[in-house]
Amino acid sequence: MRGRTSRQAHADLPEGTVEEEHGREGFAGPASHLYRLHPPTGWDEVDGPLRPHALDTGRLPMEGPEALPVALLVNEDLRVSQWSVSEAPAWFFRDADGDLLLFVHRGEGVLETEYGPLRYRPGDYLVVPRGTTHRVAATAATRLLAVEALGGSIGLPDRGLLGRHALFDPAVVEVPEPDPHDEAGTFEVRVLRAGAITTVRYPFHPLDVVGWKGDLAPLRVNVDDFRPVTSPRYHLPPSAHTTFVGPGFVVATFAPRPLETDPAVLRVPFYHRNIDVDEVIFYHRGEFFSRVGIEEGMLTFHPAGIHHGPQPQAVERSRAAGPGGRADEVAVNIDARRPLRLTAAGEAISDPDYVRSWRQP
Ligand SMILES: [Fe+2]
């Protein structure tokens, strides 16, 4: 320790300071806390590629039954896309590029798979293993956030000291019952591999599986099943909410939860420059306590190396509300190890003023 500090991270900040966590490996590696006189997000301007972005996925049009996911952010390990499905397509999809993690933002329907159907609703996570023949049979206009793991499998995290049944019990995870279709006709399967589509036509229905066994299957779990871990006296880092892990990335769920009750501890996130990961958050539902100007369906992208943290209005709102209360939000956080690139589709729905949203109003 040097100079004026607190002995406890996120608590008892020296008078007149803000706290920054300068850390490695997300929130798991070596870290120091810097007690600053000014929020490090108080820049006048940012020139160059490391701009924070806020994308409004609601500006993407609802697509017809031919639609595939529209990529917004990509790197060598993952693609983050928005997928709109207005009705059941006449064809089946097989993603041979990656395991697919779908998060249902809007809509209802059935994820039809070879393993059987999974009925879906808003707040569902659906995991479709790479190469599974499936289709999103929407009964109400459906908007999905899609994360493709290009380098391997999506799995559940090790719960470590929390124990195996923390966050959500593995028993709440739903897998499909077989629902074989024995139908003749012409059935089309579109296979995506290396970004290109190959079409396979069958004279019989491709979902003809009468039984399956093993430990690879589509699954469904809803954010309502997620039981966040919190502390009344310590602002836990987002990594405490890790829900899925994949090669080169992790996915966390920010679910409704009580806020810290100790008057001397931070109740909004500390500033940081997320030096080893690029951060993406998709805002699904509720009041986003650490953000202003963010609506449901928006997605923020904070590249590594440049700071983020709560906007001044969010800090003020938290201060005025006092200790306790609730964060009534549902958001999906994706941390990517390698730099993500914004696609042209992502750039087109990016708010050019977001980079200035930390200025004092
Ligand atoms: Fe962050």
Side-chain angles (χ1 to χ4, degrees), residues 250-327:
V250 298
V251 177
T253 305
F254 302 157
R257 59 197 182 280
L259 292 170
E260 296 75 10
T261 51
D262 187 321
V265 309
L266 276 186
R267 295 183 300 281
V268 286
F270 40 86
Y271 296 93
H272 69 116
R273 60 191 98 165
N274 44 297
I275 198 67
D276 287 317
V277 295
D278 277 9
E279 280 194 25
V280 177
I281 301 180
F282 178 76
Y283 300 88
H284 168 58
R285 191 182 77 203
E287 287 282 318
F288 308 111
F289 81 112
S290 67
R291 286 272 168 269
V292 291
I294 295 291
E295 308 287 332
E296 294 180 357
M298 291 184 78
L299 177 148
T300 56
F301 168 44
H302 294 124
I306 188 161
H307 292 89
H308 67 279
Q311 282 112 340
Q313 300 95 318
V315 175
E316 197 41 56
R317 199 167 56 195
S318 165
R319 194 171 289 143
R326 280 178 73 73

Side-chain angles (χ1 to χ4, degrees), residues 77-120:
D77 299 315
L78 74 159
R79 273 196 294 252
V80 179
S81 307
Q82 127 105 23
W83 194 8
S84 66
V85 184
S86 56
E87 58 190 287
W91 47 277
F92 297 85
F93 184 43
R94 184 186 300 160
D95 190 337
D97 275 345
D99 273 20
L100 251 181
L101 173 67
L102 303 173
F103 177 78
V104 182
H105 175 52
R106 294 281 186 265
E108 289 180 3
V110 179
L111 174 72
E112 298 176 353
T113 81
E114 291 163 299
Y115 290 75
L118 288 170
R119 180 160 288 286
Y120 69 79

